[in-house]
Amino acid sequence: MRAVVTGATGFIGSHLVEALLEKRWTVRCLLRKSSNPRWLKGLPIEIVKGDYFDLSTLQPALEGVDCVYHAAGLTKAKRKEEYYTANHLVTRNLLEATERFNPEIRRFVHISSLACVGPSTNGLPVDESTPLRPITTYGRSKMEAELECQRYMDKLPITVVRPAAVYGPRDTDVYEFFRNVNRGIVPRVGFTDRLVSLVHVRDVVETIVLAAESERSPGQVYFSSSEKPCSWMEVGRLTAKVMEKKVVRIPVPKTFVFAIAAFAEFGALFSDKPALINLEKAKEIVHSGWICSVEKAKIELGYKQKVGLEEGLRETVTWYRENGWL
């Protein structure tokens, strides 16, 4: 099987490339000129440079492949329009280019996000039938990308995979939580614990590959997550255990979260990089139920969580330490 992977230099994309190579897929990586291929060095892949806003440059990447894995996207930005450009418009253009240059493609797998649905509002996990109610610009941009996929589902065999909160080696988002625990701090937002569907990157990649290989998946959407949600306090306890750290659990009022985010966002105005936490991210942090169900993926794809929480945390901490991140 021959695949092209977008976003291959990123967190999920680089792990996906490695998994496909292990399955003896022939892998082509579509990179922008500005991409840093540090996670791809030494891998037996073909690299094609392209511009998502010049469709002719995408032809060499798309022709002759059996599957497109679209993992490219933006999770942090300084301006709202950057989310729509990177997540919505790039997806729209890639779909158009795929229809133009490889209309007989076997599968187009789009990597979306739980953020396009939004948090649980009734204490129960959201599922694939839950209406889309994103609460951030990032979530809305991912929703628009999914709507583009829906518009092409009568033309291309498209499957959408929505990961929940993903952690693992190379991650830079949940990584901030690990840094706090390493400092001896486990922050607790508000005065009640928060539930989260947390999933190791290897389980996300497993869902993505299963979605590409399944005959039932065209036209379908699947969540990718742990089989059971956990609390952030439990995540903190286990992380402290594997780090062998004594920690202090500090309640952080929600208003303080927004104050920190506003300050960080203001500081980012004078930097080339977006803030690690901004007002958009604060909206996500203060919600108590980012949880989703994976029953559909279990039934239709045969998905089964392989990486337990403590095992995954230990692997992640080890990688961060070996690479000088902690």
Side-chain angles (χ1 to χ4, degrees), residues 125 195-198 225-231 234 290-292 309:
L195 292 178
V196 61
S197 288
L198 194 62
S225 182
S226 55
E227 295 188 33
K228 293 182 180 179
C230 56
S231 71
E234 176 67 4
W290 285 96
I291 52 177
C292 60
L309 181 58

Side-chain angles (χ1 to χ4, degrees), residues 70 87 91 108-112 142 145-146 149 158-161:
H70 180 38
N87 298 328
T91 301
F108 185 109
V109 182
H110 172 66
I111 317 305
S112 184
K142 296 298 282 187
E146 280 203 22
C149 289
I158 299 170
T159 304
V160 175
V161 175

Side-chain angles (χ1 to χ4, degrees), residues 52 61 122 131 144 172 194 207 214 219 231 262 266 272 286 309 323:
Y52 292 102
N122 58 6
E144 291 297 334
T172 59
R194 297 174 298 137
T207 314
S214 170
S231 71
F266 176 76
D272 294 333
V286 300
L309 181 58
N323 287 270

Side-chain angles (χ1 to χ4, degrees), residues 67-231:
C67 183
V68 173
Y69 290 97
H70 180 38
L74 187 66
T75 60
K76 297 187 187 79
K78 295 181 67 173
R79 293 176 294 275
K80 291 183 178 181
E81 57 267 24
E82 293 178 36
Y83 289 112
Y84 287 102
T85 298
N87 298 328
H88 172 210
L89 298 183
V90 163
T91 301
R92 182 193 67 186
N93 291 352
L94 183 63
L95 287 164
E96 181 180 339
T98 302
E99 183 191 17
R100 182 184 303 181
F101 301 124
N102 194 344
E104 303 301 319
I105 197 159
R106 181 178 175 274
R107 194 65 44 82
F108 185 109
V109 182
H110 172 66
I111 317 305
S112 184
S113 171
L114 170 59
C116 79
V117 181
S120 169
T121 57
N122 58 6
L124 299 175
V126 302
D127 62 21
E128 290 79 3
S129 66
T130 303
L132 305 185
R133 299 190 183 97
I135 63 171
T136 63
T137 304
Y138 169 71
R140 287 187 286 274
S141 70
K142 296 298 282 187
M143 177 185 71
E144 291 297 334
E146 280 203 22
L147 293 177
E148 293 291 349
C149 289
Q150 290 182 16
R151 296 184 186 104
Y152 275 84
M153 280 183 178
D154 61 339
K155 306 172 185 176
L156 298 170
I158 299 170
T159 304
V160 175
V161 175
R162 295 173 182 161
V166 190
Y167 74 103
R170 304 173 196 155
D171 169 61
T172 59
D173 290 336
V174 183
Y175 164 62
E176 292 304 314
F177 182 84
F178 289 88
R179 289 185 67 190
N180 282 326
V181 176
N182 194 51
R183 297 183 183 115
I185 300 170
V186 177
R188 184 181 70 188
V189 177
F191 297 93
T192 57
D193 205 357
R194 297 174 298 137
L195 292 178
V196 61
S197 288
L198 194 62
V199 59
H200 191 277
V201 65
R202 281 194 279 121
D203 281 326
V204 172
V205 167
E206 176 75 5
T207 314
I208 294 168
V209 176
L210 286 172
E213 294 176 343
S214 170
E215 296 300 323
R216 299 183 63 177
S217 68
Q220 298 298 316
V221 177
Y222 300 96
F223 279 105
S224 176
S225 182
S226 55
E227 295 188 33
K228 293 182 180 179
C230 56
S231 71

